[in-house]
Structures are given as structure tokens and as C-alpha cells.
Amino acid sequence: MERIVTGSQMKALDKYTIEQVGIPSLVLMERAGLSVFEAMRKEGFSLKKTLILCGSGNNGADGVVLARLLHLAGYETDVCILGKPENFTKEMQKQIDIGRNYGISFVKSFHIAEYTVIVDAVLGVGLSREITGNLKEIIEELHNFQGKIVSVDIPSGICSDTGKILGCAVKADLTVTFGYKKAGLCFYPGTVYGGKIVTADISIYAMSALLSQPEIFSYTKEDLKKIQRKQDGNKGTFGKVFLIAGSKDVFGAAYLSGMAAMRSGAGMLKICTHKENRSLFSCFPEAMLLCYEDNQDITKELLENFMWADAIGIGPGIGLQEQAEKLLDTVLSHGEKPLVIDADAIGMLKGREEQLKNYPNEVILTPHLGEFSRLTGISIEEWKENPIKITQKIAKTLSVVLVCKDARTVISKENERVYLNLSGNDGMASAGSGDVLTGIILSFLAQGKEAQEAAGLGVYLHGAAGDLAAQRKGRAAMLAGDLIEAAGQILDAI
């Protein structure tokens, strides 16, 4: 897993490293400047003439260190300090004094056309207000720059917690961020403005006790090793999934979700769907079926399958009719196994919150933001203002593992860790993609993973499969079914 931090968390880690661990701030700055220098050279940027724009704080001091390293390596480098001397931190003043002793060129004005690279070391992770005035004009001028732009730690103007643009922002080709990736470099549009993002180890000390809550992590491909096949296993030991999906005239969601569950490792699958779908499932002989007719009471059969299953899922394509509501009520009233609620079933949860809270096992909700908004009354815009805290709050309120699906999906369980998914691409924004995710999560639940881990690993694998499918098909051409094949191949490779 990879740790992600907010701006305030990063400040706390910096402070502890300097004041308690005992690493001087000037040493951290030296490592920071060197990290940016090495990253620029690794990218092959033309360093014929570099301009470094510095603020008055420690982000600016990192920039002055970088200027010294470039100068000593023989590259023509200018430093322009945009902050006021009376606002200089002691570290910034020290780095300026060192830089002058080394003969660095400090300039008061510049023409961007003269440079091949411009480095943004103006504002760090502490920015909380919108950029205005002369600085805004300078940043907007940079949007016309034809060379490469490098940001130090985070592009100036990007909120370090949400990725929001605060008035205006530098749009970098490369961002070298220090210690840990900042949340604002993960969410949109911050991740776009960051360009290629490199996380540099500069010896920041991390300890959970130092951090304000919540702790934020993202899964990586290494974490998929937790999904292991036992060589002496059988179809029962790999988990039994019971999926209530599809409805009259709706087949695809049930097929995609069920197939995804099987392709990601589940040993057995039974799908409960309308009888009109029976003949369509001839293309999926591995799935068992429980079929119902209009207005048929199948409570007895449902209870039997609740007992049989290791994980239950409901929602993909079931519709919003009275019969779908009865199916949901039966699940919430009589189900006892880990449960995934998706799609249409989420649309019917309004007014059933107490049933949800009283469910005797773990529940995973997987709403896209429209479904989330309808369920909670929180607008999409409001969620985007503070996605981590709002997701965590609603997860606690509903007593569920909440998977808020967006370009950056957030997964939370009450007061525990929050997982931010960084895999996937816009090619996945097509019909059926969410159904595939439901099947993958159900598979991991049935294989014995606890709910938050099943959700986090499922979302990561779903996104990684999207990335693989995009390589093969192209983002515009890929379909939800392509994710299923890719997910299986990724697991096999791991």
C-alpha cells in the first residue's frame, strides 16, 4: 500500500522529523532540491536555461537549493523571488545567503520565452485561499510557456487536500512531491495539473500516531498478492456467490456481474433473475439460476440460498418495481452473509436506513455519485469539495463500507482507514463497468476477505483491468466485458 497525506498531515510529519527526530530542515531541503534536480535530468528536459520562481516560504527555499545544484552542474539558471523579504522564513533567508555565496543569478523580472524550463517553487501544501493579483497574472502567463514546467512538491494553486484549483494554478509537466503523495495530487483536476508525479523519499519520518485522522492509503499491484489460490482447494473453498440481478427485459447487468465474480476467482455462482432471462444464460453455463415470475413469492428459495452462499449481492439491473423492493426487503430482513448493494438496490435504500444499520453482517454500498447524492441529499459538488471526510462521515452514519465511485473512487468504513483508488481511466466510463466491479468485490468477499479489504482490492483490480484493456483496445473502444478478461489475466500474472 502507498500512504497518501493531506497538507496538514504533511506539515505534522515535517515538524516531527525536524524537531523530534533531529534532522535539520536544511538537510531535508538539500534532499528535496537534489530529488527535483535528478528527476528533471531523468526526464531528459533541456536545462539549457532554467528559471526558478520562488515564494517566500520553505517551498521557495527548496527552489533556491535546486538553483544552486543546477548552477554547480553548469546550467544557466535564474532565480526570481516572488515573495516579500519581510515574509521570508529563516530557512528561505539562509538558502538565499548560501545561493549568493555560490554566485547564483537572482533576477527581478523575466521573459518566459528566454527559458527552456521553468520551475514552480512558489507555494507549497499550506495554501488555503485563492490566488489573486500579480501572482495570478504570472501563473496565467505560464500557461503560454512552450517549454517544460516543473512543480516543487505540488503545483502552486492546487489545494493539497482536494485537488481543487484555488483561483488559478500552475499546470506542470512534472511534479516532484516529497515524502508522500499529497491527496490533492490524486484528485481531479490536481492530478492533471501535476503532470507526471514523482514521489521522492527525503527521509520524512512517518508514524500513524502523528497524523490527524483519517489515514489515507491507496492499493498497489503488490497488494493483489493477497488474493491467493490454494492448490488443494475446491469450488467450495473458493467461495459461493449468490447474486440477485437482472429483471424482465434486462439481462446484461446480471451476466457481467456474475461473470466478473467467476473470472476473479469465485468457485460457485447462483444468479437470481427473472424467468425471461433463463434462455439468455445458455451462454453462461457455469452459473446456476434461480428464476422467478412476475409477482411470484420466492422467499423460501431466497432463504435457502442465503444459507448456501458465502456472499450476497443485489442490485445490478433489478429495476425499481415493487418486486425488486420485495427482494431487497427480504435480503435486509433475512440475509446474514456479507452483502454488496449496488445500482438499482441503492436507489431503493431511502427510508430503509434502519434495516441497513441492523443488518447482522458487513455491508458494502457501491454508489456512483448520482446515486450517492440521491441517497444522502448531499450534492455532487458538495462531495467533491471534501470527498474523503464526507465519504467517511456517511459510512459511519449508515454503518457500511462505502465505495463512492468517481474518477477517483473513495472507500471508507466508519473511523478506519480511507482508501483512495488511483488505478483506472476514462475508458471505463461506459455501461456495465459498475456491474463488473460488483462481481469482483463479491468474489473477494466470498473468498473470505473482510469487507473494506474486499472493496479496496476490488476497486483497484477493476481499475487496473481498465488500464490493461485500454492498452489493448483503446479508451474509446473498450467495453465493460473487456475488464473481465483483463482482471483475470492480472490475477493470474500476480
Side-chain angles (χ1 to χ4, degrees), residues 210-228:
L210 301 175
L211 299 176
S212 58
Q213 294 301 311
E215 285 190 86
I216 310 163
F217 291 87
S218 65
Y219 280 106
T220 67
K221 188 170 285 188
E222 276 295 301
D223 294 301
L224 291 179
K225 291 180 179 178
K226 297 174 183 178
I227 308 298
Q228 293 286 345

Side-chain angles (χ1 to χ4, degrees), residues 5 17 50 55 64 84 86 96 98 113 142 145 152 181 239 241 255 260 284 289 295 310 334 341 404 424 439 447 480:
V5 297
T17 301
T50 300
V64 179
K84 297 178 180 179
E86 60 266 29
I96 291 172
I98 294 171
L142 294 183
F145 181 56
V152 174
K181 190 174 289 182
V241 171
Y255 172 83
F284 191 2
L289 295 179
N295 302 316
D310 294 307
H334 301 288
I341 301 177
C404 281
Q447 291 175 65

Side-chain angles (χ1 to χ4, degrees), residues 379-391:
S379 70
I380 294 173
E381 293 73 21
E382 185 179 352
W383 182 88
K384 286 180 178 288
E385 285 289 323
N386 210 332
I388 291 172
K389 287 187 178 179
I390 290 177
T391 301

Side-chain angles (χ1 to χ4, degrees), residues 239-243 305-306 308-313 337-340 441-447:
K240 301 184 289 290
V241 171
F242 182 58
L243 173 64
N305 282 283
F306 294 163
W308 167 82
D310 294 307
I312 302 168
K337 303 295 175 60
L339 172 64
V340 179
I441 294 174
L442 275 170
S443 175
F444 292 170
L445 273 181
Q447 291 175 65

